[in-house]
Amino acid sequence: MKTSIATVSISGGFAEKLTAIAGAGFDGIEIFEQDFIASDFTPAEVGAMVRDAGLTITLFQPFRDFEGLPEPLRSRAFARAARKFDLMNQLGTDLVLVCSSVHPAAMGGIDRMAQDFHDLGDLAARHGVRVGFEALAWGRHVNDHRDAWEVVRRADHAQVGVILDSFHTLGRKIDPDTIRRIPGDKIFFVQLADAPAIEMDLLYRSRHFRNMPGEGDLDVTGFMRAVTATGYAGPISLEIFNDQFRAGLPRLVATDGHRSLISLMDSVRRTEPTLAVDLPTFPAPAPVQRIEFLEFATSATDAPALESLLSATGFAQTGTHVSRPVKLWRQGEINILVNTDGEGFSRTSYVAHGTTVSEVALLVPDARAAHTRALALLAQDHDQPVRAGELDIPAIRGVGGSMIRLLDPRSDLARIWDVDFRTQAAGPGAGLTGIDHLGQTMAYDEMLSWALYYTSIFGATKAPMVDVADPDGLVRSQAVQSGGLRVTLNGAEARRTLAGRFVEETFGASVQHIAFGTADIFATAAELASRDFPVLEIGANYYDDVEARFGLDPALVARMKAANVLYDEDAGGQFFQLYSASRPDGLFFEIVQRQGNYLGYGAPNAPFRIAAQKRSTRPSGMPRT
Ligand code: MG
Ligand code: MG
């Protein structure tokens, strides 16, 4: 599999882009003419820089408004093409993208356009280059790959082929299976982009909202299955116009891009096994069974505050690590480790972020297989020295510099509680049974990146993105789920939002809240009250509204109000939730009860929760309001 990315997809100067692209493992780049013009290098220098970075120039683009022009515009278009072909010779690339014309003078007629391309093929042959014709979704006469292919077919020239772009095909809802009728050797190049399912002008959506395959809602897998079925063996290339990526870190965006292509071709071969996909084999994604434990990195000084919150939430300390200063707090199936180690990864995490969730341990069907898959998808391995008598548990880097450990029930990895810990039985606690979900907070720029991390590595599915109104700005929220692992990703745009402040004050820590499940939220609330749980108080107005909104029984609403319980429902069932007040660093706990098949996370309640949290905590340097 040859991979490529358009220089326009990522930020930075030209040299910086090349370093990031080569570092992420791509084979080549599409050079955008604008990018080249903006650089201070000669074409020969650019060509040498690309080759020195170990890359090839897979495509030069775009050449616009070529076909269907009347004279003298037609002759001028050919003169322009000759100059671009010279430039391509100097750059050292042999393929140019001609996108379908939007010129007001362009005339229709398949045969007229085919003749233009035939003549352009002759010119290209004299320069030793090839021409690919791409149907722009908003092209004047050609806006469908089927028409572009018909033009190319009739042009009947060895130097002329078609270029396919998933955005233009899928954005116009054209059936990608029509691609299967094109001979693979007449497809000269394939560009890939995804996009969110939002209704807006196609051109605007294309220029600003394209994203990596898997990050949006288009069926890019179906598109690539059709392309692969033709026998096409050329590069697959990312052509992403996205304002976030252009402002993002080049290395992060490039790595995500390469990850998205590996993940895409992996899903192509898994959904259509008869296709020949040129990609090393690695294990399939498997649903996560549950979060086996969470580990907090903290210090001897800061641990007591965390432990008193755990105790107030119904946890009991039931074990200690055999060799490290790590305590096990347990309730139901929930295991929380409190690590005050003065060295190692935990210490580094604590120094960087303060008290923070530094490790998330996932129980998966096969830990080694999950680890192998993660590394194949460019996850960073986390290799930590193992002390004598301890288990060696595979791990990868997770969101915000945290670590994800992979445990499974088949190997001895599940024996962690017997080998690494001395434990005793826990009491009944407050009835919390398991971890319902984690809320991870990040800068908005990184949201797509972390969603892709979970969808590609763990086969997680995405819920639609929702906007959450914080009194001081907008927070975007996207839930991902792989089996028993549910994560809400919250992207903070504004610093003054609660989420934004959390990112800032913890220097990029990620788990901002942990939601525990209970089978009876009112019984849990009563037990928590007896333990001085710092419940987040919800105002009376909320209960008036929720009673009216859902037509709830007033007696139920009275119980909810007395216990500060919030409510939501969907077609599948009901949802009850209550929160702790936030700690000074922004971390908080949530307790939820799902009834029936409720699939959400109480997003409609988030604005009220945030407002209540802002009332109850005084952010540093700001007066209480
Ligand atoms: Mg394109
Ligand atoms: Mg939540």
Side-chain angles (χ1 to χ4, degrees), residues 284-297:
V288 173
Q289 286 165 267
R290 64 165 183 264
I291 297 173
E292 181 65 19
F293 69 80
L294 295 176
E295 178 165 323
F296 277 95

Side-chain angles (χ1 to χ4, degrees), residues 436-439 477 488 490 513-515 575 577 579 588-592 594 600-603 609:
D436 184 86
H437 64 274
L438 299 179
S477 186
T488 55
N490 301 296
H513 80 266
I514 304 167
F575 189 62
Q577 50 186 168
Y579 290 96
F588 58 94
F589 288 169
E590 177 184 1
I591 288 153
V592 308
R594 290 178 187 274
Y601 300 84
R609 183 259 299 167

Side-chain angles (χ1 to χ4, degrees), residues 155-177:
D156 190 24
H157 199 292
Q159 305 303 113
V160 179
V162 72
I163 290 181
L164 299 171
D165 181 317
S166 62
F167 181 88
H168 294 303
T169 293
L170 301 171
R172 289 197 67 233
K173 302 186 169 67
I174 298 165
D175 180 1
D177 277 337

Side-chain angles (χ1 to χ4, degrees), residues 180 268-269 271-277:
R180 293 178 190 248
V268 164
R269 70 176 163 199
T271 48
E272 193 166 338
T274 53
L275 295 176
V277 171

Side-chain angles (χ1 to χ4, degrees), residues 474-537:
L474 196 69
V475 176
R476 296 249 160 82
S477 186
Q478 164 121 67
V480 293
Q481 177 175 10
S482 165
L485 173 68
R486 294 194 193 96
V487 181
T488 55
L489 304 170
N490 301 296
E493 274 183 291
R495 280 175 42 194
R496 287 173 63 227
T497 60
L498 207 64
R501 220 154 53 212
F502 176 76
V503 171
E504 196 143 275
E505 294 195 0
T506 58
F507 299 96
S510 72
V511 175
Q512 187 175 8
H513 80 266
I514 304 167
F516 303 109
T518 175
D520 183 345
I521 199 157
F522 294 109
T524 293
E527 175 63 24
L528 294 183
S530 76
R531 290 171 175 256
D532 282 334
F533 178 76
V535 71
L536 181 72
E537 292 187 18

